[in-house]
Amino acid sequence: SMSGGVSRAILQRAGAAMRQEALAKNSRKVGEVVVSSAGNLDCENIFHAIVVDYSTRELPGYELVMSLTRTCLDLANGMGHSSIAIPPMGAGAGRLAPTESTEAIVEGIARWSSESPVTGEDVYIATLDVQQETLRSFLESLIEHRVRNAYEKRLVAAQARVNELEEKLDGINRASLVEVPHPIAFIR
């Protein structure tokens, strides 16, 4: 519908022709993405993520936003785009809490980037000027994910080192250790 939040702001700047082009495409089911020209905007395309089913009043959730994020990234990558701006999907007309939307988007970006061949694509977070709380949520989610990711990488590296040391220990002839004093003997 392009009636809420960032969607409405994009429509106002892109113009009615962009809206007509997007609506002319028959694929308008929840979970799908419709690609249109950018109208009056200074970009190549707009990716319209369908987040609300107005016939059933089904509202978006975390999994849907995460999936749509990945779909948008796949499409942008496949079309050869070098960047994409992603607004908080479902946080306008979809009534999804901006914090939940932003967490789902960050998780979608993280999963996509770990599973997909990236062609130098930059991902930008797009919010309206008045949405400082949404921007704060994006930043907090991104920082939390990066910290968790760095921690997990360190755990993997530490486990690999433990495995390496255990293999070396297994390779030592136990009989040759009889004459080596125990380290506790040197504690005073």
Side-chain angles (χ1 to χ4, degrees):
S1 74
M2 299 179 213
S3 62
V6 177
S7 295
R8 183 176 45 221
I10 291 171
L11 173 59
Q12 289 171 347
R13 288 175 181 88
M18 178 277 304
R19 183 174 195 261
Q20 292 306 317
E21 179 186 344
L23 293 176
K25 304 196 178 198
N26 292 331
S27 179
R28 284 185 253 145
K29 296 178 186 166
V30 170
E32 294 182 345
V33 176
V34 174
V35 181
S36 74
S37 65
N40 300 327
L41 294 175
D42 187 23
C43 60
E44 293 180 40
N45 296 103
I46 297 175
F47 296 72
H48 306 270
I50 313 300
V51 295
V52 177
D53 183 342
Y54 288 99
S55 65
T56 64
R57 300 284 186 218
E58 178 185 343
L59 297 176
Y62 184 94
E63 293 295 324
L64 176 64
V65 171
M66 184 177 58
S67 173
L68 284 167
T69 299
R70 296 172 76 177
T71 300
C72 288
L73 291 167
D74 278 338
L75 287 168
N77 193 39
M79 295 172 77
H81 293 307
S82 60
S83 64
I84 184 170
I86 302 176
M89 291 184 268
R95 299 187 190 125
L96 185 65
T99 54
E100 188 171 0
S101 175
T102 58
E103 289 169 6
I105 291 168
V106 169
E107 183 68 26
I109 293 168
R111 288 188 184 186
W112 179 83
S113 64
S114 69
E115 298 169 0
S116 302
V118 181
T119 61
E121 191 161 331
D122 293 326
V123 179
Y124 298 93
I125 307 303
T127 64
L128 297 173
D129 293 340
V130 296
Q131 295 177 312
Q132 291 181 3
E133 181 63 31
T134 303
L135 182 58
R136 181 179 295 115
S137 177
F138 262 118
L139 294 174
E140 288 172 355
S141 295
L142 184 60
I143 290 167
E144 177 185 327
H145 179 76
R146 286 188 179 233
V147 167
R148 182 177 17 145
N149 192 28
Y151 179 71
E152 288 172 356
K153 285 181 180 178
R154 286 184 180 158
L155 282 177
V156 168
Q159 184 60 50
R161 180 70 176 139
V162 167
N163 292 344
E164 178 185 323
L165 291 173
E166 285 177 346
E167 286 178 18
K168 285 182 179 180
L169 184 61
D170 288 343
I172 294 174
N173 182 349
R174 301 254 180 225
S176 66
L177 295 177
V178 174
E179 297 176 13
V180 176
H182 196 279
I184 295 177
F186 296 103
I187 297 177
R188 297 188 201 268

